[in-house]
Amino acid sequence: MVSLAGDLRLALDRVSFALSVGVEPDPWQGDLLRSGSERILLNCSRQSGKSTMSAVIALHRALYHPSSLVLCLAPALRQSQELFGKIAGFYRDLGRPVAPQGERKLSLELENGSRLITLPGSEKTIRGFSGAALLLVDEASRVDDALYYAIRPMLAVSGGSLMMLSTPFGKRGVFYEEWTGGEGWECYEVPAAQCPRIPPEFLEEERATLPSWVYRQEYECSFEETEDQVFTTEMVERAVTPEVTPLFERG
Ligand SMILES: Nc1ncnc2c1ncn2[C@@H]1O[C@H](COP(=O)(O)OP(=O)(O)OP(=O)(O)O)[C@@H](O)[C@H]1O
Ligand SMILES: [Mg+2]
């Protein structure tokens, strides 16, 4: 049983909250948990702890801000199930059961009126929700741009926060564009070398085994030319002029 003073501390301090669910934050995770920014981008290595942070932050918002809607998006069903599993696991660690129905629907309804929902990200799934206090996009480089365009207006009305976490996936899409040229974001870059759980010997083995662009993408936060690209992004950008109207609209 957490005392009132203890609970107040958890409400005000997300690092303490993370510790209370068994996560001792890495330095970058600590910085993120202490941040008050409402627009955050994280460009992180594989296995650095993105989804773990998503789960901690989502659950904290739902628990300590009554009547909040917290939406967590991931590119596909498997990823949203995995994220929900982490959230439900932390919730159970706090001694609160998760109803089987919630488990099926990938949603938690809390006694304080908050709702926490994880969704596979397509623009169609998001329409119909409104007033999100927090929108969290895991693996943001792989969700459709249409989804991003669908969620932004929701934030305008609710005044909610937006956080996108991802490993890079080519020089394309909203995550790449916001990371390279967006305004108003607090940005974090976390290469694998900064993750204390990834041993240097493992990284050396990966570097020796993987194609170099894959290694840079997965472990060094690098936006690489996409595999199927014959021309580099710079070549395409140099060749394109905004003055010319395309002959055909893209399908
Ligand atoms: N601060 C931490 N302390 C201990 N373990 C941690 C911490 N952060 C993350 N982990 C563990 O590291 C592993 C990877 O974490 P997580 O799944 O959150 O990373 P990810 O960046 O989302 O990975 P992926 O790129 O595969 O999606 C998990 O086993 C998780 O429990
Ligand atoms: Mg993840």
Side-chain angles (χ1 to χ4, degrees):
M1 192 70 193
V2 183
S3 68
L4 190 59
D7 206 35
L8 186 63
R9 186 167 52 84
L10 299 185
L12 297 175
D13 175 11
R14 292 193 297 194
V15 171
S16 300
F17 177 70
L19 292 169
S20 79
V21 294
V23 177
E24 191 172 332
D26 298 339
W28 73 269
Q29 292 175 331
D31 292 343
L32 172 66
L33 292 171
R34 279 185 288 270
S35 165
S37 173
E38 297 197 331
R39 295 283 181 274
I40 298 186
L41 291 179
L42 294 109
N43 173 2
C44 304
S45 159
R46 293 295 315 281
Q47 287 291 296
S48 55
K50 300 180 291 293
S51 301
T52 303
M53 280 301 101
S54 303
V56 168
I57 288 171
L59 188 56
H60 183 272
R61 178 68 66 112
L63 277 171
Y64 294 108
H65 296 78
S67 306
S68 294
L69 171 62
V70 176
L71 289 178
C72 303
L73 305 163
L77 184 61
R78 188 191 56 75
Q79 284 134 329
S80 42
Q81 284 166 333
E82 201 180 296
L83 185 55
F84 185 78
K86 283 193 203 294
I87 294 168
F90 290 149
Y91 195 58
R92 281 193 205 96
D93 291 345
L94 296 171
R96 317 210 188 175
V98 177
Q101 194 203 9
E103 202 80 64
R104 264 196 315 280
K105 287 162 59 185
L106 305 182
S107 71
L108 275 178
E109 299 212 6
L110 276 50
E111 281 163 11
N112 67 4
S114 288
R115 284 186 305 151
L116 209 158
I117 301 173
T118 62
L119 294 168
S122 91
E123 176 241 340
K124 289 182 197 72
T125 57
I126 195 82
R127 287 189 193 268
F129 288 103
S130 64
L134 171 63
L135 259 166
L136 222 147
V137 190
D138 198 11
E139 294 300 344
S141 65
R142 292 171 187 257
V143 302
D144 287 344
D145 287 0
L147 175 71
Y148 182 72
Y149 301 133
I151 61 184
R152 288 220 56 124
M154 282 173 61
L155 295 169
V157 176
S158 64
S161 308
L162 175 61
M163 196 170 123
M164 302 207 281
L165 315 89
S166 199
T167 299
F169 187 50
K171 293 185 177 185
R172 56 160 171 235
V174 159
F175 183 71
Y176 168 68
E177 274 150 28
E178 294 295 341
W179 180 263
T180 48
E183 283 180 15
W185 296 99
E186 185 170 292
C187 297
Y188 295 75
E189 186 174 282
V190 186
Q194 278 182 32
C195 177
R197 282 168 306 283
I198 305 182
E201 311 79 63
F202 173 80
L203 287 178
E204 277 318 307
E205 193 185 327
E206 289 288 89
R207 194 196 292 277
T209 312
L210 296 171
S212 57
W213 71 268
V214 176
Y215 181 84
R216 289 193 298 271
Q217 169 175 287
E218 301 295 296
Y219 297 112
E220 293 184 332
C221 308
S222 170
F223 292 88
E224 295 290 311
E225 300 297 343
T226 44
E227 233 177 327
D228 52 357
Q229 244 174 298
V230 177
F231 303 104
T232 66
T233 302
E234 284 73 24
M235 284 159 80
V236 174
E237 274 170 1
R238 273 205 308 274
V240 171
T241 146
E243 277 90 57
V244 180
T245 320
L247 283 177
F248 305 100
E249 289 299 326
R250 285 171 58 201

